[in-house]
Amino acid sequence: SPETLAGTPEVERFWDLNNFLTATNGTTNSSTSTDTTNTSDAQRIGFDKGDFDGAEVYFEVLGAIANAVATGTFVLYDETNAAIRATLTTQATGITRLRSADIVASLAAGLNEYSVRYYTDNATYAVKLYAARIIVHQTSFTKTAGRIFLFGKHTTYTSTTFSTADQFDKEPKFKYQSAHWQNTSFYLEATMAGNGTGWAIMDLYDETAGATVTDSEIASTTSTTPQRIRSVALTLTDGNIYRVRIKSG
């Protein structure tokens, strides 16, 4: 969330739109737009251009097409307003980085949900998506926003209780130091889905205090379609260490 800054700093931040680890996870022969938010490794992210001033915003992907006679298309899709905000294409068969022009003017105001969609114009030749992100470049600014990565892999979890020990090997943890985060608000946000009858639940766990952070618990519906869920603003304790936990409801 916005952090008020002094002076004239310059920074570039990015918001991942997928968690694909291999091209196999991001491959399609579809000749119509494929909504990757309906796949297990996709993310539907919340993004508000009003959190930034002095900003340029770009859509960037790493992609390829199986044969240069075909064209692969990648779309930044505004789920909230059902609108395409940026389009990138490639005929390269090797992994290629594609970046749009500045799209800040084309983004709708307010907190909106975005996903990446992609397709080929020739169903014989698959398009491959390796990575997709929104990039924000700021100069001479007074406010910004960012993300602290706490959970990145797709995990199916069936236990109905939170574990007091580390559930997920090698997941990141965050130590809150108030002197580094003046005038900053924190939220817990995740993309989760149910299994048709149960739902996914996540909380932010204060390891130092041994307790769930107040108001941090968030839950999906029972729908198997991934949903982006965000908590209310959270209060953290200086010097404490935090991680996320998940369970089934």
Side-chain angles (χ1 to χ4, degrees):
S1 288
E3 176 184 352
T4 303
L5 302 174
T8 54
E10 182 172 353
V11 69
E12 187 166 279
R13 300 179 184 271
F14 64 90
W15 278 251
D16 281 323
L17 289 158
N18 68 340
N19 281 330
F20 296 148
L21 301 179
T22 68
T24 302
N25 287 341
T27 299
T28 183
N29 287 82
S30 175
S31 56
T32 59
S33 182
T34 297
D35 182 359
T36 61
T37 62
N38 289 326
T39 71
S40 63
D41 291 297
Q43 293 195 61
R44 179 177 291 198
I45 68 166
F47 183 82
D48 184 349
K49 69 177 183 179
D51 287 343
F52 310 88
D53 59 0
E56 298 172 348
V57 179
Y58 303 92
F59 173 49
E60 182 177 280
V61 302
L62 296 179
I65 192 76
N67 190 300
V69 302
T71 299
T73 299
F74 309 89
V75 170
L76 177 64
Y77 191 73
D78 180 339
E79 300 281 351
T80 304
N81 299 288
I84 293 173
R85 299 303 182 187
T87 302
L88 298 169
T89 62
T90 188
Q91 290 182 297
T93 57
I95 301 174
T96 303
R97 183 176 67 88
L98 308 167
R99 182 183 283 201
S100 70
D102 180 15
I103 60 172
V104 67
S106 70
L107 301 180
L111 178 62
N112 300 303
E113 291 190 352
Y114 295 91
S115 67
V116 58
R117 300 184 176 195
Y118 58 102
Y119 56 94
T120 175
D121 68 347
N122 186 328
T124 302
Y125 303 112
V127 61
K128 301 177 182 181
L129 176 65
Y130 294 84
R133 57 183 67 96
I134 293 174
I135 294 176
V136 179
H137 183 83
Q138 289 180 272
T139 56
S140 301
F141 63 98
T142 61
K143 62 179 182 178
T144 190
R147 307 178 84 191
I148 299 169
F149 181 84
L150 289 173
F151 187 83
K153 62 184 177 184
H154 168 245
T155 299
T156 300
Y157 199 69
T158 57
S159 174
T160 56
T161 59
F162 287 128
S163 171
T164 55
D166 274 334
Q167 287 174 274
F168 308 111
D169 185 34
K170 299 181 181 178
E171 288 297 332
K173 299 180 182 181
F174 169 64
K175 182 176 181 178
Y176 174 61
Q177 296 172 285
S178 59
H180 298 166
W181 300 95
Q182 297 179 27
N183 304 311
T184 303
S185 298
F186 289 88
Y187 302 82
L188 178 63
E189 181 176 288
T191 301
M192 303 188 293
N195 63 4
T197 56
W199 53 94
I201 304 170
M202 178 177 283
D203 76 350
L204 184 64
Y205 184 69
D206 184 334
E207 279 199 344
T208 308
T212 297
V213 175
T214 301
D215 296 325
S216 70
E217 189 171 298
I218 55 178
S220 71
T221 66
T222 59
S223 171
T224 57
T225 299
Q227 308 130 51
R228 182 187 65 85
I229 306 101
R230 178 183 282 195
S231 72
V232 299
L234 305 175
T235 300
L236 305 185
T237 301
D238 185 37
N240 286 14
I241 295 174
Y242 298 88
R243 61 179 170 87
V244 295
R245 304 184 300 175
I246 191 168
K247 67 179 181 179
S248 176

